[in-house]
Amino acid sequence: MTATPPDPAAAFKQQAAIKAASLVQDGMAVGLGTGSTAKFVVAELGRRVREEGLRIRAIPTSSVTEKQAKEEGIPLTTFGEQPELDIAIDGADEIEPRTLNLIKGLGGALLWEKIVASAAKQFVVVADASKYVDHLGAKCPLPVEVIPFGWEKVARQLGELGAHVTPRRNRDGSFYLTDEKNLIMDCVFGPMMEPKKLGRSILEIVGVVEHGLFLHMACQTITAGPEGIRILTPQQD
């Protein structure tokens, strides 16, 4: 259920989330994102379902979001029943304001998130304003999902592309596992001048399932900060 955010950053995330959730109309099929901002979207849509009678069907991007959606009373569907979505709303870890290219995956759900985003007519990104960067990789690592078998080999090959590679682990030292029971390699490349080329090179490595570069996928970003709500669309070259 919707709760009051305990700090200013969370309040900005909630503001952006509520604005994005207002784009969802009656009868839509909706992709529900994962993460600290997306959870406010799910909460707001749940409120609208309960209080306004909003009729939607949703596909979540993680088991965590699925649990929250059920708690909020949001009806869920599958790609077998609903092959195309009207809109998907999700967060991002970094955003290039000119291109709206993104890094996603610090929450561990990048594979499902990319499947859902690619199935949506509109992919809308919500975040607080701190997520904007001049070049992807400036602030956070690039998550890469890999199968457990042979991960050491994959990590070495990612390193050969210029990354400092760290397998993601839980607090107890065990490997972090995605919903598909894969591993995540957090790859620090630094600012990326050619993210499209890098993304292709990563996918050529046998054992890589997907990476967290979401390039030319977002149609709109909605962010909030001290200056208020900011809405961006990709700039045409």
Side-chain angles (χ1 to χ4, degrees):
M1 306 302 173
T2 304
T4 301
D7 61 78
F12 294 142
K13 292 176 182 180
Q14 186 177 42
Q15 290 169 24
I18 291 173
K19 180 69 173 178
S22 71
L23 299 173
V24 176
Q25 301 174 12
D26 204 52
M28 280 188 166
V30 184
L32 302 177
T34 295
S36 60
T37 308
K39 71 179 182 182
F40 288 122
V41 176
V42 178
E44 173 63 8
L45 290 176
R47 184 197 66 78
R48 291 181 61 193
V49 166
R50 295 188 306 275
E51 298 179 9
E52 301 173 8
L54 177 70
R55 295 173 300 169
I56 59 173
R57 293 156 295 159
I59 295 181
T61 55
S62 67
S63 56
V64 171
T65 299
E66 179 182 12
K67 180 176 182 292
Q68 183 191 1
K70 288 178 178 177
E71 290 172 350
E72 294 284 354
I74 298 173
L76 300 181
T77 186
T78 66
F79 281 119
E81 299 171 344
Q82 187 68 45
E84 187 176 63
L85 302 174
D86 296 294
I87 189 171
I89 305 175
D90 206 346
D93 301 303
E94 287 188 345
I95 304 168
E96 279 186 354
R98 185 181 64 82
T99 63
L100 301 195
N101 286 338
L102 316 168
I103 284 181
K104 291 178 51 55
L106 293 191
L110 67 95
L111 179 58
W112 287 19
E113 288 173 338
K114 192 170 281 190
I115 291 171
V116 168
S118 68
K121 297 176 185 176
Q122 302 178 72
F123 176 39
V124 177
V125 174
V126 291
D128 65 276
S130 69
K131 297 299 190 293
Y132 287 120
V133 294
D134 291 333
H135 297 284
L136 297 181
K139 293 182 179 180
C140 74
L142 173 66
V144 178
E145 186 162 342
V146 308
I147 67 168
F149 179 78
W151 71 265
E152 300 94 339
K153 177 180 180 295
V154 175
R156 284 196 298 272
Q157 289 180 275
L158 289 168
E160 290 169 2
L161 294 178
H164 175 74
V165 183
T166 305
R168 188 176 299 182
R169 296 182 184 271
N170 298 310
R171 290 182 179 178
D172 64 3
S174 61
F175 284 117
Y176 174 89
L177 296 179
T178 69
D179 281 324
E180 293 293 337
K181 307 305 179 186
N182 292 320
L183 307 183
I184 287 185
M185 302 294 118
D186 287 316
C187 303
V188 177
F189 284 98
M192 302 174 193
M193 299 300 109
E194 297 182 284
K196 185 176 181 180
K197 180 179 178 181
L198 178 60
R200 286 198 302 263
S201 297
I202 292 172
L203 289 178
E204 288 175 354
I205 299 174
V206 177
V208 167
V209 179
E210 191 53 85
H211 57 67
L213 289 170
F214 284 54
L215 307 179
H216 307 295
M217 297 183 72
C219 67
Q220 183 178 137
T221 59
I222 301 174
T223 58
E227 74 289 348
I229 297 286
R230 183 183 183 189
I231 300 175
L232 295 180
T233 56
Q235 297 179 21
Q236 300 298 321
D237 291 326

Coordinates of all heavy atoms in Angstrom, one line a residue, residues 61 79 85 88 112-123 214 217:
T61 N 7.9 -7.5 -13.8 CA 9.3 -7.7 -14.2 C 10.1 -8.5 -13.2 O 11.3 -8.6 -13.5 CB 10.0 -6.4 -14.6 OG1 9.9 -5.5 -13.5 CG2 9.3 -5.7 -15.8
F79 N 2.3 -13.3 -21.1 CA 2.6 -13.1 -22.5 C 1.8 -14.1 -23.4 O 1.5 -13.8 -24.6 CB 4.0 -13.1 -22.9 CG 4.7 -11.8 -22.5 CD1 5.8 -11.8 -21.5 CD2 4.4 -10.6 -23.0 CE1 6.4 -10.6 -21.2 CE2 5.0 -9.4 -22.6 CZ 6.0 -9.4 -21.7
L85 N 2.0 -5.2 -24.9 CA 1.6 -4.3 -23.8 C 1.4 -2.9 -24.4 O 2.1 -2.5 -25.3 CB 2.7 -4.3 -22.7 CG 3.1 -5.6 -22.1 CD1 4.2 -5.4 -21.1 CD2 1.9 -6.2 -21.4
A88 N 4.8 0.1 -20.6 CA 5.6 -0.4 -19.5 C 6.2 0.8 -18.8 O 6.7 1.7 -19.4 CB 6.7 -1.3 -20.0
W112 N 14.1 -9.8 -17.3 CA 12.6 -9.7 -17.4 C 12.3 -8.3 -17.8 O 11.3 -8.0 -18.5 CB 12.0 -10.1 -16.1 CG 12.0 -11.5 -15.8 CD1 12.8 -12.5 -16.4 CD2 11.2 -12.2 -14.8 NE1 12.5 -13.7 -15.8 CE2 11.6 -13.6 -14.9 CE3 10.2 -11.8 -13.9 CZ2 11.0 -14.5 -14.0 CZ3 9.6 -12.8 -13.1 CH2 10.0 -14.1 -13.2
E113 N 13.0 -7.3 -17.2 CA 12.7 -5.9 -17.6 C 12.8 -5.6 -19.0 O 12.0 -4.9 -19.6 CB 13.6 -5.0 -16.8 CG 13.3 -4.9 -15.3 CD 14.3 -4.1 -14.5 OE1 15.5 -4.0 -14.9 OE2 14.0 -3.7 -13.4
K114 N 13.9 -6.2 -19.7 CA 14.1 -5.9 -21.1 C 13.1 -6.6 -21.9 O 12.6 -6.1 -23.0 CB 15.5 -6.3 -21.5 CG 15.9 -5.8 -22.9 CD 17.4 -6.0 -23.2 CE 18.2 -4.9 -22.6 NZ 19.6 -5.0 -23.1
I115 N 12.6 -7.8 -21.5 CA 11.6 -8.5 -22.3 C 10.3 -7.7 -22.2 O 9.6 -7.5 -23.2 CB 11.4 -9.9 -21.7 CG1 12.6 -10.8 -22.0 CG2 10.1 -10.5 -22.2 CD1 12.5 -12.1 -21.2
V116 N 9.9 -7.2 -21.0 CA 8.7 -6.4 -20.9 C 8.8 -5.1 -21.6 O 7.8 -4.7 -22.3 CB 8.4 -6.2 -19.4 CG1 7.3 -5.1 -19.2 CG2 8.0 -7.5 -18.7
A117 N 9.9 -4.4 -21.5 CA 10.1 -3.1 -22.2 C 10.0 -3.3 -23.7 O 9.4 -2.5 -24.4 CB 11.4 -2.5 -21.9
S118 N 10.5 -4.4 -24.2 CA 10.5 -4.6 -25.7 C 9.1 -5.0 -26.2 O 8.9 -4.9 -27.4 CB 11.5 -5.7 -26.1 OG 11.1 -7.0 -25.5
A119 N 8.3 -5.4 -25.3 CA 6.9 -5.8 -25.7 C 5.9 -4.7 -25.6 O 4.7 -4.8 -26.0 CB 6.4 -7.0 -24.8
A120 N 6.4 -3.5 -25.2 CA 5.4 -2.4 -24.9 C 5.4 -1.4 -26.0 O 6.5 -1.0 -26.6 CB 5.8 -1.7 -23.6
K121 N 4.3 -0.9 -26.4 CA 4.2 0.2 -27.3 C 4.8 1.5 -26.8 O 5.4 2.3 -27.6 CB 2.7 0.5 -27.6 CG 1.9 -0.7 -28.3 CD 0.5 -0.3 -28.4 CE -0.3 -1.5 -28.9 NZ -1.8 -1.2 -29.0
Q122 N 4.7 1.7 -25.5 CA 5.4 2.8 -24.9 C 6.2 2.3 -23.7 O 5.7 1.6 -22.9 CB 4.4 3.8 -24.3 CG 3.4 4.4 -25.3 CD 2.5 5.4 -24.5 OE1 2.8 6.5 -24.1 NE2 1.2 4.9 -24.4
F123 N 7.5 2.7 -23.6 CA 8.3 2.4 -22.5 C 8.7 3.7 -21.8 O 9.4 4.5 -22.3 CB 9.6 1.6 -23.0 CG 10.5 1.3 -21.9 CD1 10.1 0.9 -20.6 CD2 11.9 1.4 -22.1 CE1 11.0 0.6 -19.6 CE2 12.8 1.1 -21.1 CZ 12.4 0.7 -19.8
F214 N 20.0 -0.5 -22.1 CA 18.7 -0.3 -22.7 C 18.8 0.9 -23.7 O 18.6 2.0 -23.3 CB 17.6 -0.1 -21.7 CG 17.1 -1.3 -20.9 CD1 18.1 -2.1 -20.2 CD2 15.8 -1.6 -20.9 CE1 17.7 -3.2 -19.5 CE2 15.4 -2.7 -20.1 CZ 16.3 -3.5 -19.5
M217 N 15.2 2.5 -26.4 CA 14.0 1.8 -26.0 C 13.0 2.8 -25.4 O 11.8 2.6 -25.6 CB 14.3 0.7 -25.1 CG 15.2 -0.4 -25.8 SD 15.5 -1.9 -24.7 CE 13.9 -2.6 -24.7

